[in-house]
Amino acid sequence: MKISNSTQVTADYHLLNEEGQCLNPDAQTLHFQPGKKQLLPALEEQLLGCEVGDSKRITLEPEQAFGPHRPELVFEAVKEHLPPGDIQPGMTFSPGGQQGKFTLRVVKLTEQGALLDGNHPLAGQTLTWEIEVQKVEPAVMNPRSSIDHQPLQWKPLNG
């Protein structure tokens, strides 16, 4: 069976940076259903048509992966605007209770507070995925989610 929008896929991968350094020495596993926005679009597109046992090496430019590094997302926050407690470089937090929708990473501590970075940690990098497809099976359709909207119901205007 080939990977398509009506399948569910399991694949193992290694992620490499521009220098060829492996960013995840222990292979990690992807579980995704094409067309459901669970994977980077450019990565998903390259996997369509693959079958169990296929291996692919896919290189994505920053614009196709996690976007360019945007310097305007790096800024200094004063201590009064930081979460309470011991803040250390490398820590991440979501401001304003965004529940993971926007994450800031502490780059370094400053005299006034901390330098924060709102970019994805891999933004600005050309990345290569070495992927081996482990399983391709028909997608399980939830009957309630197969209809994304309610059908229209026509009602007379004067009645």
Side-chain angles (χ1 to χ4, degrees), residues 110-128:
T110 65
E111 286 185 29
Q112 291 79 26
L115 187 65
L116 304 177
D117 188 347
N119 287 287
H120 186 283
L122 298 174
Q125 296 186 43
T126 298
L127 300 167
T128 299

Side-chain angles (χ1 to χ4, degrees), residues 31-57:
H31 299 282
F32 69 97
Q33 184 177 340
K36 297 289 185 184
K37 298 181 181 183
Q38 299 169 336
L39 204 57
L40 294 169
L43 190 59
E44 182 178 297
E45 183 180 318
Q46 293 289 318
L47 292 171
L48 291 175
C50 290
E51 300 176 293
V52 172
D54 285 353
S55 293
K56 286 204 87 162
R57 184 178 174 95

Side-chain angles (χ1 to χ4, degrees), residues 10-13 24 27-31 134:
T10 302
D12 290 337
Y13 75 97
N24 63 329
Q28 292 181 302
T29 302
L30 291 170
H31 299 282
Q134 301 296 325

Side-chain angles (χ1 to χ4, degrees), residues 68-76 102 104 115-119:
H69 184 271
R70 297 174 46 196
E72 68 271 18
L73 296 179
V74 180
F75 60 94
E76 186 174 15
F102 184 76
L104 296 171
L115 187 65
L116 304 177
D117 188 347
N119 287 287

Side-chain angles (χ1 to χ4, degrees), residues 73-125:
L73 296 179
V74 180
F75 60 94
E76 186 174 15
V78 295
K79 291 177 186 172
E80 295 79 30
H81 294 132
L82 294 170
D86 185 31
I87 294 177
Q88 297 297 319
M91 291 176 73
T92 60
F93 59 92
S94 295
Q98 292 291 317
Q99 299 178 1
K101 293 181 183 178
F102 184 76
T103 302
L104 296 171
R105 182 174 44 88
V106 178
V107 177
K108 69 178 184 177
L109 301 178
T110 65
E111 286 185 29
Q112 291 79 26
L115 187 65
L116 304 177
D117 188 347
N119 287 287
H120 186 283
L122 298 174
Q125 296 186 43

